[in-house]
Coordinates of all heavy atoms in Angstrom, one line a residue:
A329 N 148.6 224.6 -31.7 CA 148.8 225.7 -32.6 C 149.7 226.7 -31.8 O 149.2 227.4 -30.9 CB 147.4 226.3 -32.9
L362 N 147.1 231.8 -37.1 CA 146.2 231.0 -36.3 C 145.1 230.4 -37.1 O 144.7 229.2 -37.0 CB 145.6 231.9 -35.1 CG 144.6 231.2 -34.2 CD1 145.2 230.0 -33.5 CD2 144.0 232.1 -33.2
M366 N 144.2 226.5 -37.5 CA 142.9 226.0 -37.0 C 142.3 225.2 -38.2 O 141.7 224.2 -38.0 CB 142.0 227.1 -36.6 CG 142.4 227.8 -35.3 SD 142.7 226.6 -33.9 CE 141.0 226.2 -33.5
R375 N 141.0 216.2 -32.1 CA 140.0 216.3 -31.0 C 140.0 217.6 -30.2 O 139.1 218.2 -30.0 CB 140.2 215.1 -30.1 CG 139.2 214.7 -29.3 CD 138.1 213.8 -29.7 NE 137.8 212.9 -28.6 CZ 138.4 211.8 -28.4 NH1 139.2 211.3 -29.3 NH2 138.1 211.1 -27.3
Y376 N 141.3 218.0 -29.8 CA 141.5 219.2 -29.1 C 142.6 220.0 -29.8 O 143.4 219.5 -30.5 CB 142.0 218.9 -27.7 CG 141.0 218.4 -26.7 CD1 140.8 217.0 -26.6 CD2 140.2 219.3 -26.0 CE1 139.8 216.5 -25.7 CE2 139.2 218.8 -25.1 CZ 139.0 217.5 -25.0 OH 138.1 217.0 -24.1
V377 N 142.5 221.3 -29.6 CA 143.6 222.2 -30.1 C 144.1 223.0 -28.9 O 143.3 223.6 -28.2 CB 143.1 223.2 -31.2 CG1 144.3 224.1 -31.7 CG2 142.6 222.4 -32.4
L378 N 145.4 223.0 -28.7 CA 145.9 223.8 -27.7 C 146.5 225.1 -28.4 O 147.4 225.0 -29.2 CB 147.1 223.1 -27.0 CG 147.7 223.8 -25.8 CD1 146.7 223.9 -24.6 CD2 149.0 223.1 -25.4
I379 N 146.0 226.2 -28.1 CA 146.4 227.5 -28.7 C 147.4 228.2 -27.8 O 147.0 228.5 -26.6 CB 145.2 228.4 -29.1 CG1 144.2 227.6 -29.9 CG2 145.7 229.6 -29.8 CD1 142.8 228.2 -30.0
L380 N 148.6 228.4 -28.3 CA 149.6 229.0 -27.4 C 150.2 230.2 -28.1 O 150.9 230.2 -29.1 CB 150.7 227.9 -27.3 CG 151.8 228.1 -26.3 CD1 151.2 228.2 -24.9 CD2 152.8 227.0 -26.3
E384 N 149.9 234.8 -23.9 CA 149.4 233.8 -22.9 C 150.6 233.1 -22.2 O 150.5 232.9 -21.0 CB 148.6 232.8 -23.7 CG 147.2 233.2 -24.1 CD 147.2 233.8 -25.4 OE1 148.2 234.1 -26.0 OE2 146.1 234.0 -26.0
A390 N 147.4 228.9 -21.4 CA 147.1 228.6 -22.8 C 145.6 228.3 -23.0 O 144.9 228.2 -22.0 CB 147.9 227.3 -23.2
V391 N 145.2 228.2 -24.3 CA 143.7 228.0 -24.5 C 143.6 226.6 -25.0 O 144.3 226.2 -26.0 CB 143.2 229.0 -25.4 CG1 141.7 228.7 -25.8 CG2 143.2 230.4 -24.8
L392 N 142.6 225.8 -24.4 CA 142.4 224.5 -24.9 C 141.0 224.5 -25.5 O 140.0 224.8 -24.9 CB 142.5 223.5 -23.8 CG 142.4 222.0 -24.2 CD1 143.6 221.6 -25.1 CD2 142.3 221.1 -23.0
R393 N 140.9 224.1 -26.8 CA 139.6 224.1 -27.5 C 139.2 222.7 -27.8 O 139.9 221.9 -28.4 CB 139.7 225.0 -28.8 CG 138.4 225.1 -29.6 CD 138.7 226.0 -30.8 NE 137.6 226.0 -31.7 CZ 136.5 226.8 -31.6 NH1 136.4 227.6 -30.6 NH2 135.6 226.7 -32.6
N394 N 137.9 222.4 -27.5 CA 137.4 221.1 -27.8 C 136.7 221.2 -29.2 O 135.8 222.0 -29.4 CB 136.3 220.7 -26.7 CG 135.7 219.4 -27.0 OD1 135.5 219.0 -28.2 ND2 135.4 218.6 -25.9
M395 N 137.3 220.5 -30.1 CA 136.8 220.7 -31.5 C 135.4 220.1 -31.8 O 134.8 220.4 -32.8 CB 137.8 220.1 -32.5 CG 139.2 220.8 -32.4 SD 139.2 222.5 -32.9 CE 139.3 222.3 -34.7
N396 N 135.0 219.2 -30.9 CA 133.6 218.7 -31.1 C 132.6 219.6 -30.6 O 131.6 219.9 -31.3 CB 133.5 217.3 -30.3 CG 134.2 216.2 -31.0 OD1 134.6 216.3 -32.2 ND2 134.5 215.1 -30.3
T397 N 132.8 220.1 -29.4 CA 131.8 221.0 -28.8 C 132.0 222.5 -29.1 O 131.2 223.3 -28.9 CB 131.8 220.8 -27.3 OG1 133.0 221.3 -26.8 CG2 131.5 219.4 -26.8
K398 N 133.2 222.8 -29.7 CA 133.6 224.1 -30.0 C 133.8 225.0 -28.8 O 133.9 226.2 -28.8 CB 132.6 224.8 -31.0 CG 132.2 224.1 -32.2 CD 133.3 224.2 -33.2 CE 132.9 223.4 -34.5 NZ 134.0 222.5 -35.0
S399 N 133.7 224.4 -27.6 CA 133.9 225.2 -26.4 C 135.4 225.3 -26.1 O 136.2 224.4 -26.4 CB 133.2 224.5 -25.2 OG 133.8 223.3 -25.0
Q400 N 135.8 226.4 -25.5 CA 137.3 226.5 -25.1 C 137.4 227.1 -23.7 O 136.6 227.8 -23.2 CB 138.0 227.2 -26.2 CG 137.6 228.6 -26.5 CD 138.3 229.2 -27.7 OE1 138.5 228.5 -28.7 NE2 138.8 230.4 -27.5
E401 N 138.6 226.7 -23.1 CA 138.8 227.2 -21.8 C 140.3 227.6 -21.7 O 141.2 227.1 -22.4 CB 138.5 226.2 -20.8 CG 139.2 224.9 -21.0 CD 138.8 223.8 -20.0 OE1 138.8 224.0 -18.8 OE2 138.5 222.7 -20.6
E402 N 140.6 228.5 -20.7 CA 141.9 228.9 -20.5 C 142.5 227.9 -19.4 O 141.8 227.6 -18.4 CB 142.0 230.3 -19.9 CG 143.2 231.1 -20.4 CD 143.2 232.5 -20.0 OE1 143.0 232.8 -18.8 OE2 143.4 233.3 -20.9
I403 N 143.7 227.4 -19.7 CA 144.2 226.5 -18.6 C 145.6 227.0 -18.2 O 146.3 227.7 -19.0 CB 144.3 225.0 -19.1 CG1 145.1 224.9 -20.4 CG2 142.9 224.4 -19.3 CD1 145.3 223.5 -20.8
K415 N 142.1 215.1 -19.7 CA 141.0 215.5 -20.7 C 140.8 214.4 -21.7 O 139.7 213.9 -22.0 CB 141.3 216.8 -21.4 CG 141.2 218.0 -20.6 CD 139.9 218.7 -20.9 CE 139.7 219.9 -20.0 NZ 138.4 220.1 -19.7

Side-chain angles (χ1 to χ4, degrees):
L362 178 62
M366 291 306 285
R375 199 82 143 269
Y376 284 93
V377 178
L378 184 73
I379 305 163
L380 190 63
E384 283 91 348
V391 171
L392 187 66
R393 182 177 169 85
N394 181 324
M395 297 295 276
N396 286 344
T397 63
K398 310 281 181 227
S399 63
Q400 57 186 46
E401 58 185 309
E402 215 173 53
I403 55 171
K415 284 256 178 217

